[in-house]
Amino acid sequence: MPLHTQVDESSQDDGLDVNPVYVHEQSFQIPRYRLPDQGTLPRTALQVVRDELILDGNARLNLATFVTTWMEPEAEVLMAECSAKNMIDKDEYPQTAELERRCVNILSSLWNSPAGGQATGCSTTGSSEACMLGGMALLWRWRARRQAAGLDAARPNLVMGSNVQVCWEKFCRYWQVEPHYVPMVPGRLHLRGAEAAARCDENTIGVVAIMGSTMDGSYEPVLEISQALDRVQAEQGHDVPVHVDGASGGFVAPFLQPDLEWDFRVPRVASINASGHKFGLVYPGVGWAMWRTPDALPDDLVFKVNYLGGEMPTFALNFSRPGAQVAAQYYNFVRLGAHGYRRVHQTCQDVALHLSGEIAKIGPFELLTEGRDLPVFAFKLRDDITGYSVFDLSERLRMRGWQVPAYTFPADMTDTAVMRIVVRNGFSMDLANLLLDDFRLQVKTLEHHPQTQPPPEIQKKRQSFKH
Ligand SMILES: Cc1ncc(COP(=O)(O)O)c(C=O)c1O
């Protein structure tokens, strides 16, 4: 979350004006940065907060986020009913704990965990926490192996593409693990087997393979990466496990690419994470982490809480967490079933392929992906288009409410600026066609009115809604 700094003295007594319809006084203000001495009536408080929030973008037109922006009314009712339940109170809310257990079982079979292997998993606040837990398990296991062999365990490293989501950078910084990034280069925008293998050594705790790169929606080849690591083991003796960051793909590949081997069918895959709040179709805050076998999860990371007179093992960074999202995840499984998930995701993919195909036809764009893995695609302006940038186009689309992010790629490709569209449930073919009309119109406008580029400090701010 952004770190906020205390406002300066002169602003501390700023007030919010309250609509005169809601109060008796001619002019009534609520302090903006201080706790009011007295409260207000619920309707007044609701109006004050709502009035502020109208400036937020329209979530349905947000094509930047991977996170669910629409659930059906029945799911919203269920979430409201469960909003008081705390996930950690297993003893007080045993049925919520039971729903979590069922979700873990459903996911472990969706991810083809081996029969009898006792795959073990838990819910989290999202993929970031799940990645943190996955990374910690890799680190603890590597350290234990090194210490048992009497070897130095001071300089762990983690191998991944530079296209990883920021949570992996956080993991490395917080746990003092050296990130071994494989750079993106034109023509190879994500991690491949040979490059991953080349960055591994005796201090490598694991390799992260992403099922659905945040940059362009493409899947990293988990099987190829794993086979390259088999060769590392045969030639150098380092047995390097793979963690699959399936933040988005963990809920897409089982339905749209069921034959693709990316999950526990690949023996080297030790753990997987996914966001229930992305293509799991739940509102934000739920993720999932899963380990192939209980021993992939070191005992000293597990804490016990009370449960039905006994103890239940837990692994989490937070203690309290809302239970509503877990109930909603289970609701979605019951409501949609495998067939429903397939239909929802196939519809998103049809829309993504239609959009990418039509955007390619407009003329100035070059597609980097089409939306064939995740229903997500990225594109850039052709190198000979110099009169305007993707940032100009993003701003012009925003005038109509569309939020289409423009951003530059990470280190080694920072000169490449792209746009990315994430198609989620609720973004219909009709909306896609309206977006295309605006794309065509705005491109034509920009072609007739070349833009002067703003100074660097403003240019930097224009990248603000990258995820
Ligand atoms: C590949 C990948 N990993 C991890 C994350 C972090 O997920 P969350 O937002 O659920 O914490 C994201 C978010 O976009 C992602 O795309």
Side-chain angles (χ1 to χ4, degrees):
M1 292 303 106
L3 284 173
H4 301 286
T5 312
Q6 187 176 27
V7 296
D8 61 32
E9 289 281 311
S10 62
S11 307
Q12 279 180 9
D13 291 320
D14 279 4
L16 286 170
D17 286 324
V18 178
N19 187 320
V21 166
Y22 286 97
V23 281
H24 294 301
E25 294 83 344
Q26 175 62 36
S27 155
F28 185 82
Q29 285 200 331
I30 291 177
R32 196 182 286 261
Y33 298 111
R34 294 188 195 278
L35 186 66
D37 290 336
Q38 308 291 332
T40 54
L41 291 170
R43 282 188 64 204
T44 312
L46 180 64
Q47 189 62 35
V48 167
V49 179
R50 268 195 185 146
D51 275 0
E52 289 253 32
L53 292 176
I54 54 177
L55 270 176
D56 277 351
N58 180 331
R60 291 280 293 281
L61 301 182
N62 180 352
L63 298 170
T65 185
F66 287 77
V67 175
T68 302
T69 44
W70 183 82
M71 289 185 79
E72 58 196 346
E74 291 78 358
E76 292 186 342
V77 169
L78 179 67
M79 289 185 77
E81 283 170 7
C82 295
S83 58
K85 297 191 188 194
N86 188 345
M87 217 44 237
I88 196 68
D89 290 338
K90 310 285 180 199
D91 215 25
E92 291 81 349
Y93 308 118
Q95 283 322 111
T96 308
E98 167 61 16
L99 298 191
E100 182 187 40
R101 196 159 76 99
R102 290 183 206 167
C103 290
V104 166
N105 274 271
I106 289 169
L107 287 171
S108 76
S109 66
L110 269 184
W111 296 342
N112 293 292
S113 55
Q118 291 186 302
T120 301
C122 58
S123 67
T124 60
T125 26
S127 274
S128 300
E129 185 187 7
C131 292
M132 212 63 75
L133 303 184
M136 284 163 69
L138 293 178
L139 177 60
W140 259 243
R141 280 175 64 205
W142 170 84
R143 204 185 278 142
R145 276 201 311 274
R146 299 282 294 175
Q147 285 167 349
L151 296 166
D152 177 33
R155 298 203 52 200
N157 70 60
L158 182 67
V159 173
M160 55 202 156
S162 62
N163 52 311
V164 284
Q165 211 263 356
V166 68
C167 66
W168 289 106
E169 197 181 326
K170 274 190 194 170
F171 167 76
C172 287
R173 194 155 334 150
Y174 293 172
W175 297 102
Q176 298 181 320
V177 172
E178 196 181 318
H180 278 192
Y181 291 119
V182 175
M184 294 166 77
V185 292
R188 185 179 49 69
L189 299 181
H190 60 217
L191 190 66
R192 300 295 304 263
E195 288 75 16
R199 302 292 283 129
C200 289
D201 57 33
E202 60 176 354
N203 290 321
T204 304
I205 64 170
V207 171
V208 176
I210 315 167
M211 283 293 286
S213 168
T214 323
M215 298 289 155
D216 64 3
S218 63
Y219 291 158
E220 292 187 336
V222 178
L223 186 59
E224 177 193 296
I225 292 169
S226 165
Q227 287 167 343
L229 296 177
D230 291 345
R231 288 191 288 279
V232 168
Q233 185 170 7
E235 289 159 18
Q236 303 165 35
H238 314 312
D239 182 5
V240 181
V242 171
H243 174 91
V244 178
D245 178 353
S248 297
F251 275 96
V252 174
F255 305 110
L256 292 191
Q257 298 93 6
D259 297 329
L260 182 71
E261 291 185 36
W262 65 275
D263 51 17
F264 292 122
R265 281 168 289 184
V266 179
R268 203 166 276 282
V269 172
S271 46
I272 300 175
N273 70 271
S275 298
H277 58 214
K278 294 192 174 108
F279 290 90
L281 306 176
V282 180
Y283 284 141
V286 61
W288 300 95
M290 188 86 62
W291 290 266
R292 167 186 290 276
T293 50
D295 62 342
L297 184 55
D299 269 351
D300 54 347
L301 289 176
V302 175
F303 285 77
K304 306 271 183 354
V305 297
N306 289 337
Y307 181 60
L308 300 180
E311 286 187 320
M312 178 181 259
T314 66
F315 185 22
L317 296 183
N318 236 55
F319 186 70
S320 299
R321 259 198 30 238
Q325 280 80 352
V326 170
Q329 183 75 76
Y330 186 66
Y331 168 88
N332 277 348
F333 285 149
V334 172
R335 162 80 177 96
L336 294 170
H339 181 67
Y341 265 99
R342 195 168 301 118
R343 262 169 34 108
V344 168
H345 295 342
Q346 189 57 61
T347 304
C348 291
Q349 188 153 58
D350 292 347
V351 172
L353 291 173
H354 171 67
L355 265 176
S356 64
E358 290 302 311
I359 284 175
K361 284 187 207 156
I362 299 175
F365 302 108
E366 202 179 291
L367 294 181
L368 300 174
T369 42
E370 296 171 57
R372 291 192 187 279
D373 292 343
L374 297 180
V376 172
F377 62 98
F379 50 101
K380 63 191 264 303
L381 283 169
R382 288 197 329 254
D383 291 342
D384 58 311
I385 306 288
T386 52
Y388 59 98
S389 69
V390 285
F391 303 102
D392 299 319
L393 181 55
S394 175
E395 274 177 10
R396 290 200 70 87
L397 290 168
R398 189 91 191 229
M399 285 161 43
R400 275 269 282 173
W402 307 112
Q403 299 160 56
V404 183
Y407 54 91
T408 50
F409 275 159
D412 294 322
M413 276 190 76
T414 49
D415 288 348
T416 307
V418 302
M419 295 184 102
R420 185 196 63 202
I421 289 182
V422 179
V423 179
R424 297 181 313 280
N425 189 20
F427 195 74
S428 62
M429 203 57 104
D430 276 351
L431 279 172
N433 285 326
L434 290 170
L435 172 65
L436 282 169
D437 288 344
D438 281 322
F439 250 88
R440 294 185 191 104
L441 181 74
Q442 299 307 341
V443 165
K444 201 175 259 178
T445 308
L446 287 166
E447 280 171 353
H448 284 81
H449 300 283
Q451 306 291 296
T452 49
Q453 293 308 303
E457 64 278 12
I458 295 184
Q459 183 72 3
K460 222 169 153 192
K461 282 193 188 146
R462 298 166 101 196
Q463 301 202 31
S464 57
F465 60 116
K466 162 187 173 182
H467 287 259

